[in-house]
Amino acid sequence: MSTIEEREAVVLTSGGQKIFGILHLPRNVVKPPCILVCHGLGGHKTGRYRIYVDLAEALVQRGIAVFRFDFRGSGDSEGEFAEMTLSGEVQDALKALEFLKSDDRVDNERIGIFGRSMGGSVAVISSALFNSIKSMALWAPMYSGDDWRHMWEQIESGTATAQQSEEMRRINGQVAGLGFYAEMFSMEIERDLKKLSHIPLLLIHGESDEVIHHSHSERYMELRKHADAPTKLITLPNVDH
């Protein structure tokens, strides 16, 4: 057993379905701050190459607790990926934040949030609704669905065949439902981000990212020009999504 941390399985209920997570608690730290990890679309709480596990372990070594979980329809959580929606993922994230807010083992006045890719968008929307987030870190966050709007227009107008529509909506071998895309194109990140002007924001983006272009983080930076709290963008050379 690790001498640095205690690791605990957590089961929550969101939308009538079970969502599964892992809470990392640093040993010998009384009421540590805690970070919620929101994985990307079609991902899971472990992450490719166990990246979210590595992140949690690195933060625990610095006395910071971490809660990483699977959205409904992803990883170990109940639900079907095809039924996943943006609003559903936000609901799941809020359930996780409420869990941390009520857990007396962490400092519920120092809860931060980390989101990657679409999980970055979910983190922003959830933070604006939760209203108790103290810091945000977003890795390759999606700003809007404009890059894929031509695809949606083909699907919505019926000019794409059923097979083409399915292929367009395929993410990591899974097909997202039409409900998800309808909500994705109606996101209002600008509105939500303005509500978080007082919260420090760290952006991380690979300059070779072909999934979520670096311009998405640049748009976040543009919106944060007059924010009350600091904003920083770290660009990683020769790094993809």
Side-chain angles (χ1 to χ4, degrees):
M1 181 177 290
S2 172
T3 59
I4 298 174
E5 68 165 306
E6 295 180 6
R7 199 172 298 192
E8 176 183 302
V10 176
V11 182
L12 305 174
T13 300
S14 179
Q17 294 176 312
K18 293 178 182 177
I19 56 175
F20 293 82
I22 300 294
L23 178 64
H24 299 251
L25 290 166
R27 290 179 179 271
N28 304 318
V29 178
V30 178
K31 284 190 172 296
C34 189
I35 302 295
L36 177 69
V37 174
C38 298
H39 65 75
L41 190 62
H44 47 74
K45 64 182 176 297
T46 302
R48 189 171 57 163
Y49 310 125
R50 287 171 61 86
I51 192 168
Y52 300 133
V53 180
D54 292 343
L55 173 64
E57 291 175 346
L59 289 170
V60 161
Q61 289 179 1
R62 292 161 175 77
I64 301 170
V66 175
F67 184 49
R68 51 188 178 87
F69 76 104
D70 293 322
F71 290 111
R72 275 175 286 164
S74 296
D76 294 312
S77 292
E78 293 182 342
E80 299 297 328
F81 186 75
E83 298 174 355
M84 170 273 305
T85 61
L86 177 61
S87 57
E89 292 204 342
V90 170
Q91 183 182 25
D92 296 346
L94 289 172
K95 283 289 182 181
L97 289 169
E98 289 165 5
F99 160 70
L100 296 176
K101 189 74 173 177
S102 64
D103 194 318
D104 59 10
R105 294 171 296 176
V106 302
D107 186 344
N108 55 33
E109 295 300 323
R110 291 189 295 164
I111 297 174
I113 195 165
F114 169 89
R116 182 170 181 268
S117 194
M118 176 56 73
S121 305
V122 173
V124 171
I125 298 167
S126 303
S127 297
L129 292 170
F130 188 63
N131 203 32
S132 293
I133 294 295
K134 294 301 180 184
S135 62
M136 292 188 298
L138 309 177
W139 180 0
M142 180 186 290
Y143 176 84
S144 74
D146 289 347
D147 292 348
W148 302 271
R149 191 170 295 278
H150 65 287
M151 175 199 76
W152 176 245
E153 289 172 351
Q154 292 180 59
I155 294 173
E156 195 174 33
S157 66
T159 56
T161 66
Q163 182 176 352
Q164 289 171 333
S165 172
E166 182 175 314
E167 287 303 315
M168 288 176 180
R169 293 181 284 121
R170 191 175 298 278
I171 301 165
N172 294 336
Q174 305 178 89
V175 179
L178 294 174
F180 164 75
Y181 283 100
E183 291 187 353
M184 183 182 83
F185 289 110
S186 64
M187 287 193 308
E188 296 186 56
I189 291 296
E190 180 177 358
R191 176 200 62 191
D192 293 321
L193 199 60
K194 285 181 177 178
K195 296 178 182 178
L196 303 170
S197 173
H198 61 292
I199 296 173
L201 171 60
L202 172 65
L203 295 161
I204 306 166
H205 217 119
E207 66 176 13
S208 301
D209 193 332
E210 296 182 354
V211 178
I212 305 293
H213 192 267
H214 189 273
S215 60
H216 285 252
S217 281
E218 292 171 356
R219 294 180 74 178
Y220 275 88
M221 288 294 293
E222 182 68 24
L223 279 177
R224 293 278 298 191
K225 273 187 175 180
H226 304 293
D228 298 326
T231 307
K232 181 178 182 180
L233 171 60
I234 298 175
T235 299
L236 305 176
N238 304 314
V239 172
D240 60 15
H241 195 61

